[in-house]
Amino acid sequence: MTQDDMKRAAAREAVNHLSEGDIVGVGTGSTANYFIEELAIWGAAAGAVASSEATASRLRDCGISVLDLNEVGRFGVYVDGADEINHKLEMIKGGGGALTREKIVAAVSQKFICVVDENKVVDVLGAFPLPVEVVPMASVQVARVITSLGGKPELRKGFLTDNGNVILDIHGLNIKNAVELEHQLNNIVGVVTNGIFANRPADVMVVGTGDGVLVVKR
Ligand code: 5RP
């Protein structure tokens, strides 16, 4: 089984956690794209809230109506991938640069289903460089503060988020207290948000493995 096969299998399983007429929040990335295909095949969602422009356009291409979060209010389920997820279902996200909108949509949903392949499950978060979205004029200052905290920030070259900001990817972290580090980084002036999803972790982790799909609830 390839990594893509495992992502697709996890995405297919996520559809079993939906109910007819649900409004579904949809993440960004290759696993989320598999989920969009499965959502279109299922065909029973009332609509979707997108976590990025790329996801919105893919949803429309698949015939799924895209709803404005401000007009929807609270909704049931958010389905998204992750770059890393630990056993407390805390995650690092933002490899695709959509972390801020992903965090917003996740915050509004009642249930967060994280769909990953088995390579994403870790004991300790931080081997994957942590993305931090930063207002462009503050990038050097924010990088300085992050360096003083022990991280090694690297500007993601040639990339702007859907919100017009830049991303610093922080290398060299070994995240023991994800809840605290998420708060600490968000408190740096100029940071829009960071890719630790620990204060609002996933509720369900669906893992595609070589031996089938594993469902873990928090
Ligand atoms: C995008 C994300 C993605 O969920 C994360 O990067 C995983 O991507 P993929 O499903 O392609 O492995 O956070 O901002």
Side-chain angles (χ1 to χ4, degrees), residues 37 39 57 60 65-66 79-80 89 94 102-103 116 119 122 124 129 140 146 150 157 161 174 187 191 200 204 207:
E37 288 173 21
L39 198 59
S57 124
R60 286 192 196 98
S65 63
V66 177
V79 179
D80 197 359
L89 309 198
E102 291 173 340
K103 205 174 266 197
V116 289
N119 303 301
V122 299
V124 180
V140 170
I146 288 172
K157 293 205 177 62
T161 69
N174 185 14
N187 268 340
V191 168
R200 200 282 181 248
V204 181
V207 190

Side-chain angles (χ1 to χ4, degrees), residues 7 28-32 80-83 93-99 102 120:
K7 287 181 179 186
T28 299
S30 57
T31 320
D80 197 359
D83 299 301
K93 293 186 42 54
L99 60 160
E102 291 173 340
K120 306 284 188 70

Side-chain angles (χ1 to χ4, degrees), residues 8 73 93 115 117 132 134 137 180:
R8 185 184 282 282
K93 293 186 42 54
V115 281
D117 67 85
V132 179
V134 176
M137 70 172 287
E180 193 180 296

Side-chain angles (χ1 to χ4, degrees), residues 4-214:
D4 277 331
D5 291 337
M6 293 189 273
K7 287 181 179 186
R8 185 184 282 282
R12 186 171 298 138
E13 167 62 25
V15 174
N16 296 329
H17 297 251
L18 305 178
S19 307
E20 217 174 304
D22 270 351
I23 291 173
V24 184
V26 183
T28 299
S30 57
T31 320
N33 289 344
Y34 287 131
F35 175 70
I36 293 171
E37 288 173 21
E38 298 298 332
L39 198 59
I41 294 166
W42 182 57
V49 176
S51 62
S52 64
E53 299 299 334
T55 288
S57 124
R58 208 169 260 264
L59 285 162
R60 286 192 196 98
D61 288 348
C62 288
I64 299 167
S65 63
V66 177
L67 308 170
D68 180 339
L69 183 60
N70 287 320
E71 277 158 25
V72 165
R74 254 197 132 204
F75 60 91
V77 185
Y78 178 58
V79 179
D80 197 359
D83 299 301
E84 285 183 346
I85 183 163
N86 67 16
H87 301 283
K88 291 198 238 171
L89 309 198
E90 299 166 334
M91 296 154 282
I92 285 185
K93 293 186 42 54
L99 60 160
T100 299
R101 294 192 189 192
E102 291 173 340
K103 205 174 266 197
I104 292 168
V105 182
V108 179
S109 68
Q110 275 148 1
K111 192 196 273 186
F112 185 158
I113 301 175
C114 180
V115 281
V116 289
D117 67 85
E118 61 186 3
N119 303 301
K120 306 284 188 70
V121 183
V122 299
D123 289 329
V124 180
L125 299 173
F128 188 92
L130 174 67
V132 179
E133 181 165 350
V134 176
V135 174
M137 70 172 287
S139 64
V140 170
Q141 167 60 10
V142 170
R144 208 176 287 133
V145 177
I146 288 172
T147 304
S148 76
L149 296 175
K152 295 185 186 68
E154 187 186 354
L155 182 68
R156 200 178 289 185
K157 293 205 177 62
F159 184 85
L160 281 185
T161 69
D162 285 347
N163 314 309
N165 297 312
V166 296
I167 298 277
L168 294 175
D169 292 302
I170 312 181
H171 298 255
L173 293 176
N174 185 14
I175 303 174
K176 299 216 173 61
N177 187 336
V179 169
E180 193 180 296
L181 186 61
E182 182 179 358
H183 279 310
Q184 195 179 9
L185 292 172
N186 280 347
N187 268 340
I188 302 171
V189 174
V191 168
V192 178
T193 198
N194 72 84
I196 299 176
F197 284 55
N199 287 282
R200 200 282 181 248
D203 302 294
V204 181
M205 162 169 79
V206 180
V207 190
T209 79
D211 298 323
V213 176
L214 197 69

